[in-house]
Amino acid sequence: MKIEDQPLHALTAVAVRDAIGQGKATAVDVAMACLDHIETIDPSIRAWVHLNRERARQQARAADEKQKSGRAGPMAGVPVGVKDLFNTYDMPTQMGSPIWAGFSPGNDARVVHYLRMADVVVLGKTVTAEFAVHAPGPTHNPHRVGYMPGTSSSGSAAAVAAYMVPVALGTQTAGSTIRPASYCGVIGFKPSFGLVPRTGMLKTTDTLDTVGWFARSIDDIELVFETIRVKGPDYPVTERALADVSRRRRADRPWRVGVVHGPKWNDAEPYAQCALLEMADELQKENDVEIRHVELPGEYALVHDIHSVIYDRA
């Protein structure tokens, strides 16, 4: 089955939501298409540590029933992958470690709960580095088997890049969202601290850890953000900032894009430096984009050492 010449497993989250809402597909159709695709290609990529086909079917049926009754949530029927650091009441949470094999916490992490309230279909748990630290998992880069997909959120990034799910949750302490996103060629979003709750997930360093997620479109990133971010009077600073329409507009200014030559710039391979600079040149051709090349102050040369001190001490 296809929607506008796209197989169901290749649709974005927004496209899935719209197709189900318009009656062009069912949540069961989409979930089974994704699981069939996973069954075909994941033996070589190994992005998943736990899948439950029957449980996914049950969630999808529930989403379809809500759709029929007009009670569907904003992400009804969207398949989601969850990094194996987040608690899930109906699946093991093993944190990438054989020590915790088969462990079930019996509850959902806050962000997983918010996603379920929006009627997503949680297909399963994605591979993480052991305890989200340095020991890599078994996942391969979907663009070239045998190559690294990034660090601890590797399973989620690879699953999105390989069209197994449209969106997947990850986490970041240093670069565990932005690095796998870069390696796998998808969008990785690391929000500001305090915008997304971390209750019910493994935190390796309380002052640095952030919930992140992966998608293949900006609209999907926004959809997840609005679903799982903190809301309401208990979060007055966040609510006030996000309700300020002026902060969401550029007015008459151009988009300003900073190209940062950071403390590790000279450690990058020449091809990587060239790729970044060529992208900046392409953006500069747009009428409403202003490129600024930024040299950071010398103090930033210490940033990686400082991060390590904070991490190790915490």
PDB file of all heavy atoms in Angstrom, residues 63-98:
ATOM      1  N   ALA A  63      -5.697   2.996  18.505  1.00  0.00           N
ATOM      2  CA  ALA A  63      -5.626   4.301  17.836  1.00  0.00           C
ATOM      3  C   ALA A  63      -6.698   4.413  16.752  1.00  0.00           C
ATOM      4  O   ALA A  63      -7.328   5.465  16.594  1.00  0.00           O
ATOM      5  CB  ALA A  63      -4.240   4.499  17.240  1.00  0.00           C
ATOM      6  N   ASP A  64      -6.923   3.319  16.018  1.00  0.00           N
ATOM      7  CA  ASP A  64      -7.958   3.336  14.980  1.00  0.00           C
ATOM      8  C   ASP A  64      -9.350   3.503  15.586  1.00  0.00           C
ATOM      9  O   ASP A  64     -10.201   4.219  15.032  1.00  0.00           O
ATOM     10  CB  ASP A  64      -7.896   2.050  14.154  1.00  0.00           C
ATOM     11  CG  ASP A  64      -6.746   2.039  13.157  1.00  0.00           C
ATOM     12  OD1 ASP A  64      -6.334   3.129  12.719  1.00  0.00           O
ATOM     13  OD2 ASP A  64      -6.256   0.932  12.829  1.00  0.00           O
ATOM     14  N   GLU A  65      -9.598   2.854  16.708  1.00  0.00           N
ATOM     15  CA  GLU A  65     -10.895   2.995  17.366  1.00  0.00           C
ATOM     16  C   GLU A  65     -11.119   4.430  17.825  1.00  0.00           C
ATOM     17  O   GLU A  65     -12.219   4.975  17.695  1.00  0.00           O
ATOM     18  CB  GLU A  65     -10.987   2.040  18.566  1.00  0.00           C
ATOM     19  CG  GLU A  65     -11.122   0.577  18.176  1.00  0.00           C
ATOM     20  CD  GLU A  65     -12.353   0.321  17.305  1.00  0.00           C
ATOM     21  OE1 GLU A  65     -13.431   0.858  17.645  1.00  0.00           O
ATOM     22  OE2 GLU A  65     -12.236  -0.392  16.294  1.00  0.00           O
ATOM     23  N   LYS A  66     -10.068   5.046  18.360  1.00  0.00           N
ATOM     24  CA  LYS A  66     -10.199   6.445  18.781  1.00  0.00           C
ATOM     25  C   LYS A  66     -10.436   7.355  17.580  1.00  0.00           C
ATOM     26  O   LYS A  66     -11.175   8.342  17.670  1.00  0.00           O
ATOM     27  CB  LYS A  66      -8.946   6.880  19.543  1.00  0.00           C
ATOM     28  CG  LYS A  66      -8.884   6.392  20.974  1.00  0.00           C
ATOM     29  CD  LYS A  66      -7.825   7.157  21.753  1.00  0.00           C
ATOM     30  CE  LYS A  66      -7.928   6.856  23.235  1.00  0.00           C
ATOM     31  NZ  LYS A  66      -6.979   7.669  24.022  1.00  0.00           N
ATOM     32  N   GLN A  67      -9.789   7.027  16.465  1.00  0.00           N
ATOM     33  CA  GLN A  67      -9.982   7.821  15.253  1.00  0.00           C
ATOM     34  C   GLN A  67     -11.438   7.760  14.805  1.00  0.00           C
ATOM     35  O   GLN A  67     -12.043   8.782  14.444  1.00  0.00           O
ATOM     36  CB  GLN A  67      -9.063   7.296  14.148  1.00  0.00           C
ATOM     37  CG  GLN A  67      -8.955   8.202  12.934  1.00  0.00           C
ATOM     38  CD  GLN A  67      -8.199   9.486  13.241  1.00  0.00           C
ATOM     39  OE1 GLN A  67      -7.099   9.447  13.756  1.00  0.00           O
ATOM     40  NE2 GLN A  67      -8.796  10.621  12.928  1.00  0.00           N
ATOM     41  N   LYS A  68     -12.020   6.565  14.852  1.00  0.00           N
ATOM     42  CA  LYS A  68     -13.417   6.400  14.432  1.00  0.00           C
ATOM     43  C   LYS A  68     -14.374   7.166  15.329  1.00  0.00           C
ATOM     44  O   LYS A  68     -15.410   7.671  14.864  1.00  0.00           O
ATOM     45  CB  LYS A  68     -13.783   4.912  14.436  1.00  0.00           C
ATOM     46  CG  LYS A  68     -13.102   4.086  13.368  1.00  0.00           C
ATOM     47  CD  LYS A  68     -13.452   2.615  13.532  1.00  0.00           C
ATOM     48  CE  LYS A  68     -12.703   1.739  12.535  1.00  0.00           C
ATOM     49  NZ  LYS A  68     -12.971   0.297  12.765  1.00  0.00           N
ATOM     50  N   SER A  69     -14.041   7.250  16.610  1.00  0.00           N
ATOM     51  CA  SER A  69     -14.951   7.903  17.560  1.00  0.00           C
ATOM     52  C   SER A  69     -14.667   9.394  17.714  1.00  0.00           C
ATOM     53  O   SER A  69     -15.330  10.064  18.513  1.00  0.00           O
ATOM     54  CB  SER A  69     -14.841   7.224  18.930  1.00  0.00           C
ATOM     55  OG  SER A  69     -13.535   7.399  19.471  1.00  0.00           O
ATOM     56  N   GLY A  70     -13.684   9.897  16.972  1.00  0.00           N
ATOM     57  CA  GLY A  70     -13.375  11.319  17.045  1.00  0.00           C
ATOM     58  C   GLY A  70     -12.590  11.727  18.271  1.00  0.00           C
ATOM     59  O   GLY A  70     -12.542  12.910  18.617  1.00  0.00           O
ATOM     60  N   ARG A  71     -11.955  10.771  18.935  1.00  0.00           N
ATOM     61  CA  ARG A  71     -11.209  11.072  20.158  1.00  0.00           C
ATOM     62  C   ARG A  71      -9.702  10.917  19.977  1.00  0.00           C
ATOM     63  O   ARG A  71      -8.953  10.862  20.953  1.00  0.00           O
ATOM     64  CB  ARG A  71     -11.667  10.155  21.296  1.00  0.00           C
ATOM     65  CG  ARG A  71     -13.135  10.321  21.678  1.00  0.00           C
ATOM     66  CD  ARG A  71     -13.534   9.374  22.797  1.00  0.00           C
ATOM     67  NE  ARG A  71     -13.464   7.972  22.379  1.00  0.00           N
ATOM     68  CZ  ARG A  71     -12.593   7.097  22.865  1.00  0.00           C
ATOM     69  NH1 ARG A  71     -11.706   7.465  23.763  1.00  0.00           N
ATOM     70  NH2 ARG A  71     -12.620   5.847  22.442  1.00  0.00           N
ATOM     71  N   ALA A  72      -9.240  10.853  18.746  1.00  0.00           N
ATOM     72  CA  ALA A  72      -7.827  10.564  18.489  1.00  0.00           C
ATOM     73  C   ALA A  72      -6.923  11.698  18.941  1.00  0.00           C
ATOM     74  O   ALA A  72      -7.247  12.878  18.797  1.00  0.00           O
ATOM     75  CB  ALA A  72      -7.618  10.304  16.999  1.00  0.00           C
ATOM     76  N   GLY A  73      -5.761  11.320  19.476  1.00  0.00           N
ATOM     77  CA  GLY A  73      -4.770  12.294  19.899  1.00  0.00           C
ATOM     78  C   GLY A  73      -4.010  12.869  18.706  1.00  0.00           C
ATOM     79  O   GLY A  73      -4.179  12.423  17.569  1.00  0.00           O
ATOM     80  N   PRO A  74      -3.131  13.841  18.968  1.00  0.00           N
ATOM     81  CA  PRO A  74      -2.445  14.553  17.880  1.00  0.00           C
ATOM     82  C   PRO A  74      -1.420  13.727  17.120  1.00  0.00           C
ATOM     83  O   PRO A  74      -0.968  14.147  16.058  1.00  0.00           O
ATOM     84  CB  PRO A  74      -1.768  15.724  18.596  1.00  0.00           C
ATOM     85  CG  PRO A  74      -1.631  15.282  20.019  1.00  0.00           C
ATOM     86  CD  PRO A  74      -2.823  14.417  20.289  1.00  0.00           C
ATOM     87  N   MET A  75      -1.045  12.548  17.643  1.00  0.00           N
ATOM     88  CA  MET A  75      -0.103  11.687  16.932  1.00  0.00           C
ATOM     89  C   MET A  75      -0.688  10.297  16.733  1.00  0.00           C
ATOM     90  O   MET A  75       0.035   9.304  16.683  1.00  0.00           O
ATOM     91  CB  MET A  75       1.235  11.597  17.688  1.00  0.00           C
ATOM     92  CG  MET A  75       2.014  12.895  17.738  1.00  0.00           C
ATOM     93  SD  MET A  75       3.652  12.726  18.533  1.00  0.00           S
ATOM     94  CE  MET A  75       4.518  11.661  17.358  1.00  0.00           C
ATOM     95  N   ALA A  76      -1.984  10.226  16.576  1.00  0.00           N
ATOM     96  CA  ALA A  76      -2.668   8.935  16.507  1.00  0.00           C
ATOM     97  C   ALA A  76      -2.117   8.060  15.388  1.00  0.00           C
ATOM     98  O   ALA A  76      -2.112   8.444  14.224  1.00  0.00           O
ATOM     99  CB  ALA A  76      -4.163   9.140  16.317  1.00  0.00           C
ATOM    100  N   GLY A  77      -1.635   6.874  15.779  1.00  0.00           N
ATOM    101  CA  GLY A  77      -1.159   5.898  14.813  1.00  0.00           C
ATOM    102  C   GLY A  77       0.265   6.069  14.355  1.00  0.00           C
ATOM    103  O   GLY A  77       0.756   5.259  13.555  1.00  0.00           O
ATOM    104  N   VAL A  78       0.964   7.086  14.854  1.00  0.00           N
ATOM    105  CA  VAL A  78       2.353   7.311  14.425  1.00  0.00           C
ATOM    106  C   VAL A  78       3.272   6.296  15.100  1.00  0.00           C
ATOM    107  O   VAL A  78       3.334   6.231  16.329  1.00  0.00           O
ATOM    108  CB  VAL A  78       2.817   8.741  14.759  1.00  0.00           C
ATOM    109  CG1 VAL A  78       4.299   8.912  14.443  1.00  0.00           C
ATOM    110  CG2 VAL A  78       1.983   9.772  14.001  1.00  0.00           C
ATOM    111  N   PRO A  79       4.026   5.503  14.336  1.00  0.00           N
ATOM    112  CA  PRO A  79       4.968   4.559  14.938  1.00  0.00           C
ATOM    113  C   PRO A  79       6.171   5.287  15.519  1.00  0.00           C
ATOM    114  O   PRO A  79       6.709   6.223  14.906  1.00  0.00           O
ATOM    115  CB  PRO A  79       5.387   3.665  13.762  1.00  0.00           C
ATOM    116  CG  PRO A  79       4.370   3.912  12.698  1.00  0.00           C
ATOM    117  CD  PRO A  79       3.930   5.327  12.884  1.00  0.00           C
ATOM    118  N   VAL A  80       6.595   4.847  16.690  1.00  0.00           N
ATOM    119  CA  VAL A  80       7.685   5.507  17.411  1.00  0.00           C
ATOM    120  C   VAL A  80       8.656   4.451  17.930  1.00  0.00           C
ATOM    121  O   VAL A  80       8.250   3.373  18.364  1.00  0.00           O
ATOM    122  CB  VAL A  80       7.132   6.344  18.589  1.00  0.00           C
ATOM    123  CG1 VAL A  80       8.257   6.886  19.458  1.00  0.00           C
ATOM    124  CG2 VAL A  80       6.272   7.493  18.074  1.00  0.00           C
ATOM    125  N   GLY A  81       9.950   4.779  17.888  1.00  0.00           N
ATOM    126  CA  GLY A  81      10.969   3.970  18.546  1.00  0.00           C
ATOM    127  C   GLY A  81      11.408   4.666  19.818  1.00  0.00           C
ATOM    128  O   GLY A  81      11.463   5.898  19.881  1.00  0.00           O
ATOM    129  N   VAL A  82      11.727   3.899  20.851  1.00  0.00           N
ATOM    130  CA  VAL A  82      12.104   4.454  22.155  1.00  0.00           C
ATOM    131  C   VAL A  82      13.474   3.902  22.548  1.00  0.00           C
ATOM    132  O   VAL A  82      13.658   2.680  22.628  1.00  0.00           O
ATOM    133  CB  VAL A  82      11.054   4.100  23.237  1.00  0.00           C
ATOM    134  CG1 VAL A  82      11.521   4.559  24.612  1.00  0.00           C
ATOM    135  CG2 VAL A  82       9.712   4.737  22.890  1.00  0.00           C
ATOM    136  N   LYS A  83      14.411   4.787  22.767  1.00  0.00           N
ATOM    137  CA  LYS A  83      15.746   4.381  23.197  1.00  0.00           C
ATOM    138  C   LYS A  83      15.640   3.567  24.484  1.00  0.00           C
ATOM    139  O   LYS A  83      14.877   3.900  25.392  1.00  0.00           O
ATOM    140  CB  LYS A  83      16.612   5.626  23.418  1.00  0.00           C
ATOM    141  CG  LYS A  83      18.060   5.334  23.793  1.00  0.00           C
ATOM    142  CD  LYS A  83      18.850   6.626  23.928  1.00  0.00           C
ATOM    143  CE  LYS A  83      20.299   6.371  24.315  1.00  0.00           C
ATOM    144  NZ  LYS A  83      21.084   7.621  24.409  1.00  0.00           N
ATOM    145  N   ASP A  84      16.438   2.530  24.589  1.00  0.00           N
ATOM    146  CA  ASP A  84      16.326   1.582  25.697  1.00  0.00           C
ATOM    147  C   ASP A  84      16.931   2.120  26.996  1.00  0.00           C
ATOM    148  O   ASP A  84      17.593   1.405  27.737  1.00  0.00           O
ATOM    149  CB  ASP A  84      16.995   0.258  25.311  1.00  0.00           C
ATOM    150  CG  ASP A  84      16.649  -0.870  26.273  1.00  0.00           C
ATOM    151  OD1 ASP A  84      15.567  -0.806  26.872  1.00  0.00           O
ATOM    152  OD2 ASP A  84      17.470  -1.791  26.423  1.00  0.00           O
ATOM    153  N   LEU A  85      16.679   3.409  27.246  1.00  0.00           N
ATOM    154  CA  LEU A  85      17.002   4.036  28.531  1.00  0.00           C
ATOM    155  C   LEU A  85      15.747   4.561  29.200  1.00  0.00           C
ATOM    156  O   LEU A  85      15.778   4.946  30.364  1.00  0.00           O
ATOM    157  CB  LEU A  85      17.958   5.225  28.332  1.00  0.00           C
ATOM    158  CG  LEU A  85      19.340   4.972  27.766  1.00  0.00           C
ATOM    159  CD1 LEU A  85      20.091   6.296  27.662  1.00  0.00           C
ATOM    160  CD2 LEU A  85      20.118   4.014  28.656  1.00  0.00           C
ATOM    161  N   PHE A  86      14.649   4.613  28.436  1.00  0.00           N
ATOM    162  CA  PHE A  86      13.382   5.134  28.945  1.00  0.00           C
ATOM    163  C   PHE A  86      12.536   3.984  29.479  1.00  0.00           C
ATOM    164  O   PHE A  86      12.384   2.955  28.820  1.00  0.00           O
ATOM    165  CB  PHE A  86      12.609   5.836  27.820  1.00  0.00           C
ATOM    166  CG  PHE A  86      13.247   7.091  27.302  1.00  0.00           C
ATOM    167  CD1 PHE A  86      14.097   7.049  26.210  1.00  0.00           C
ATOM    168  CD2 PHE A  86      13.002   8.317  27.909  1.00  0.00           C
ATOM    169  CE1 PHE A  86      14.685   8.200  25.712  1.00  0.00           C
ATOM    170  CE2 PHE A  86      13.588   9.476  27.421  1.00  0.00           C
ATOM    171  CZ  PHE A  86      14.425   9.414  26.325  1.00  0.00           C
ATOM    172  N   ASN A  87      11.957   4.177  30.639  1.00  0.00           N
ATOM    173  CA  ASN A  87      11.066   3.163  31.188  1.00  0.00           C
ATOM    174  C   ASN A  87       9.861   2.947  30.274  1.00  0.00           C
ATOM    175  O   ASN A  87       9.300   3.898  29.742  1.00  0.00           O
ATOM    176  CB  ASN A  87      10.566   3.581  32.571  1.00  0.00           C
ATOM    177  CG  ASN A  87      11.619   3.454  33.647  1.00  0.00           C
ATOM    178  OD1 ASN A  87      12.768   3.117  33.363  1.00  0.00           O
ATOM    179  ND2 ASN A  87      11.242   3.749  34.884  1.00  0.00           N
ATOM    180  N   THR A  88       9.485   1.675  30.117  1.00  0.00           N
ATOM    181  CA  THR A  88       8.262   1.309  29.410  1.00  0.00           C
ATOM    182  C   THR A  88       7.589   0.202  30.208  1.00  0.00           C
ATOM    183  O   THR A  88       8.230  -0.803  30.532  1.00  0.00           O
ATOM    184  CB  THR A  88       8.568   0.809  27.984  1.00  0.00           C
ATOM    185  OG1 THR A  88       9.703  -0.068  28.012  1.00  0.00           O
ATOM    186  CG2 THR A  88       8.861   1.972  27.051  1.00  0.00           C
ATOM    187  N   TYR A  89       6.310   0.399  30.503  1.00  0.00           N
ATOM    188  CA  TYR A  89       5.640  -0.549  31.396  1.00  0.00           C
ATOM    189  C   TYR A  89       5.429  -1.907  30.755  1.00  0.00           C
ATOM    190  O   TYR A  89       5.301  -2.925  31.442  1.00  0.00           O
ATOM    191  CB  TYR A  89       4.310   0.029  31.883  1.00  0.00           C
ATOM    192  CG  TYR A  89       3.160  -0.119  30.924  1.00  0.00           C
ATOM    193  CD1 TYR A  89       2.351  -1.262  30.934  1.00  0.00           C
ATOM    194  CD2 TYR A  89       2.868   0.878  29.999  1.00  0.00           C
ATOM    195  CE1 TYR A  89       1.296  -1.398  30.045  1.00  0.00           C
ATOM    196  CE2 TYR A  89       1.814   0.740  29.116  1.00  0.00           C
ATOM    197  CZ  TYR A  89       1.032  -0.397  29.140  1.00  0.00           C
ATOM    198  OH  TYR A  89       0.002  -0.532  28.256  1.00  0.00           O
ATOM    199  N   ASP A  90       5.397  -1.935  29.405  1.00  0.00           N
ATOM    200  CA  ASP A  90       5.046  -3.170  28.713  1.00  0.00           C
ATOM    201  C   ASP A  90       6.210  -3.774  27.926  1.00  0.00           C
ATOM    202  O   ASP A  90       6.023  -4.719  27.161  1.00  0.00           O
ATOM    203  CB  ASP A  90       3.871  -2.922  27.769  1.00  0.00           C
ATOM    204  CG  ASP A  90       4.114  -1.750  26.816  1.00  0.00           C
ATOM    205  OD1 ASP A  90       5.144  -1.066  26.960  1.00  0.00           O
ATOM    206  OD2 ASP A  90       3.263  -1.517  25.932  1.00  0.00           O
ATOM    207  N   MET A  91       7.400  -3.232  28.123  1.00  0.00           N
ATOM    208  CA  MET A  91       8.595  -3.744  27.441  1.00  0.00           C
ATOM    209  C   MET A  91       9.773  -3.662  28.398  1.00  0.00           C
ATOM    210  O   MET A  91       9.801  -2.806  29.289  1.00  0.00           O
ATOM    211  CB  MET A  91       8.917  -2.906  26.190  1.00  0.00           C
ATOM    212  CG  MET A  91       7.824  -2.856  25.162  1.00  0.00           C
ATOM    213  SD  MET A  91       8.279  -1.755  23.794  1.00  0.00           S
ATOM    214  CE  MET A  91       6.703  -1.667  22.928  1.00  0.00           C
ATOM    215  N   PRO A  92      10.778  -4.502  28.211  1.00  0.00           N
ATOM    216  CA  PRO A  92      11.966  -4.414  29.062  1.00  0.00           C
ATOM    217  C   PRO A  92      12.691  -3.088  28.871  1.00  0.00           C
ATOM    218  O   PRO A  92      12.621  -2.470  27.806  1.00  0.00           O
ATOM    219  CB  PRO A  92      12.851  -5.582  28.580  1.00  0.00           C
ATOM    220  CG  PRO A  92      11.961  -6.467  27.798  1.00  0.00           C
ATOM    221  CD  PRO A  92      10.870  -5.602  27.237  1.00  0.00           C
ATOM    222  N   THR A  93      13.373  -2.650  29.924  1.00  0.00           N
ATOM    223  CA  THR A  93      14.254  -1.480  29.875  1.00  0.00           C
ATOM    224  C   THR A  93      15.611  -1.956  30.376  1.00  0.00           C
ATOM    225  O   THR A  93      15.828  -2.093  31.575  1.00  0.00           O
ATOM    226  CB  THR A  93      13.712  -0.330  30.740  1.00  0.00           C
ATOM    227  OG1 THR A  93      12.410   0.037  30.261  1.00  0.00           O
ATOM    228  CG2 THR A  93      14.634   0.878  30.672  1.00  0.00           C
ATOM    229  N   GLN A  94      16.510  -2.251  29.431  1.00  0.00           N
ATOM    230  CA  GLN A  94      17.750  -2.954  29.760  1.00  0.00           C
ATOM    231  C   GLN A  94      18.983  -2.063  29.735  1.00  0.00           C
ATOM    232  O   GLN A  94      20.064  -2.476  30.103  1.00  0.00           O
ATOM    233  CB  GLN A  94      17.921  -4.135  28.796  1.00  0.00           C
ATOM    234  CG  GLN A  94      16.724  -5.077  28.864  1.00  0.00           C
ATOM    235  CD  GLN A  94      16.700  -6.102  27.753  1.00  0.00           C
ATOM    236  OE1 GLN A  94      16.513  -7.283  28.003  1.00  0.00           O
ATOM    237  NE2 GLN A  94      16.882  -5.665  26.515  1.00  0.00           N
ATOM    238  N   MET A  95      18.831  -0.827  29.248  1.00  0.00           N
ATOM    239  CA  MET A  95      19.911   0.174  29.263  1.00  0.00           C
ATOM    240  C   MET A  95      21.175  -0.306  28.562  1.00  0.00           C
ATOM    241  O   MET A  95      22.286   0.081  28.918  1.00  0.00           O
ATOM    242  CB  MET A  95      20.196   0.629  30.693  1.00  0.00           C
ATOM    243  CG  MET A  95      19.016   1.362  31.312  1.00  0.00           C
ATOM    244  SD  MET A  95      19.106   1.632  33.080  1.00  0.00           S
ATOM    245  CE  MET A  95      18.598   0.017  33.703  1.00  0.00           C
ATOM    246  N   GLY A  96      20.994  -1.175  27.587  1.00  0.00           N
ATOM    247  CA  GLY A  96      22.127  -1.642  26.805  1.00  0.00           C
ATOM    248  C   GLY A  96      23.079  -2.547  27.552  1.00  0.00           C
ATOM    249  O   GLY A  96      24.195  -2.797  27.086  1.00  0.00           O
ATOM    250  N   SER A  97      22.658  -3.060  28.699  1.00  0.00           N
ATOM    251  CA  SER A  97      23.573  -3.828  29.552  1.00  0.00           C
ATOM    252  C   SER A  97      23.047  -5.237  29.810  1.00  0.00           C
ATOM    253  O   SER A  97      21.880  -5.420  30.144  1.00  0.00           O
ATOM    254  CB  SER A  97      23.760  -3.115  30.892  1.00  0.00           C
ATOM    255  OG  SER A  97      24.526  -3.909  31.773  1.00  0.00           O
ATOM    256  N   PRO A  98      23.919  -6.242  29.707  1.00  0.00           N
ATOM    257  CA  PRO A  98      23.497  -7.604  30.042  1.00  0.00           C
ATOM    258  C   PRO A  98      23.145  -7.754  31.521  1.00  0.00           C
ATOM    259  O   PRO A  98      22.414  -8.666  31.903  1.00  0.00           O
ATOM    260  CB  PRO A  98      24.727  -8.459  29.677  1.00  0.00           C
ATOM    261  CG  PRO A  98      25.880  -7.499  29.667  1.00  0.00           C
ATOM    262  CD  PRO A  98      25.316  -6.194  29.222  1.00  0.00           C
TER     263      PRO A  98
END
